[in-house]
Amino acid sequence: ITYYNNVIYGVNKYGSSVDSEGQYGIFVDLSSDVQIIHNSVYFRGSDGHILSRCLYVGQSSGITLRNNCFYNIKSSDGLDLAIEVADVVSLVENHNFLSGSDGSVIGFTPDESSVALGDPLFMAENDLHIQIGSACQGIGQYISGFDFDADENERFDPCDAGAYEIYEQTPGPTPTMTPEPSCPETSIEL
């Protein structure tokens, strides 16, 4: 199973203090050989008693997490994290942006190539393209076979974490006016 170039934001699930359910961007359970690569998940706001995770992985093996942007800045009575991992055998994690209101992760120690500080600088709450200066910019590692972002733009090396690469419009040459050759006014008498 491969989760690639997903963009998840604004997921809402309301409950009460006795509700055992939570809010999840990507939920993986009872699985093996799962690649989670170049995804952007963003939670924000407050909805009371519900815990939230950008990614939850439970009772699984052979999990690869690379080049993702998991940003959870919710404030609820629950525990709001970027990732929770439980009962997982064989987890490879690197080059991710991981940030949560109540901590980045539970259940494993992130690789030193992953970043937990800073702001992904999304374009808007509902537009997870990142801006120049984003904490996600250039922290990824190019992976062959994952050559394009969610907009079908080519990935760079190093690439950006998340579903989108930063693409600046490169101005072309400035057009110049070339005057048309003029013919001198000529008169002919007959």
Side-chain angles (χ1 to χ4, degrees), residues 137-182:
Q137 186 177 0
I139 68 165
Q141 184 176 43
Y142 178 79
I143 305 168
S144 181
F146 298 92
D147 304 321
F148 299 95
D149 74 1
D151 286 334
E152 298 183 18
N153 292 314
E154 193 170 347
R155 294 241 179 235
F156 300 113
D157 189 12
C159 55
D160 300 329
Y164 300 110
E165 285 288 312
I166 294 177
Y167 262 82
E168 293 182 85
Q169 294 294 329
T170 307
T174 304
T176 56
M177 298 293 288
T178 305
E180 290 287 325
S182 62

Side-chain angles (χ1 to χ4, degrees), residues 9-87:
Y9 61 89
V11 178
N12 286 310
K13 182 173 177 71
Y14 298 95
S16 68
S17 60
V18 295
D19 201 347
S20 63
E21 294 183 49
Q23 192 175 54
Y24 304 95
I26 300 173
F27 187 92
V28 178
D29 197 19
L30 303 172
S31 299
S32 62
D33 302 320
V34 178
Q35 296 184 85
I36 301 168
I37 298 172
H38 282 296
N39 298 285
S40 293
V41 181
Y42 174 46
F43 288 136
R44 65 168 196 80
S46 174
D47 62 5
H49 310 289
I50 301 298
L51 61 86
S52 63
R53 311 286 190 266
C54 293
L55 170 66
Y56 173 84
V57 182
Q59 299 183 22
S60 299
S61 65
I63 306 296
T64 301
L65 307 173
R66 293 183 67 191
N67 300 340
N68 297 287
C69 175
F70 296 132
Y71 190 47
N72 185 348
I73 56 171
K74 287 181 67 69
S75 59
S76 67
D77 293 340
L79 194 57
D80 302 308
L81 303 168
I83 300 175
E84 179 178 357
V85 172
D87 299 323

Side-chain angles (χ1 to χ4, degrees), residues 97-115:
F97 176 80
L98 310 170
S99 185
S101 298
D102 296 316
S104 298
V105 300
I106 279 183
F108 74 101
T109 301
D111 184 81
E112 63 188 35
S113 65
S114 291
V115 175

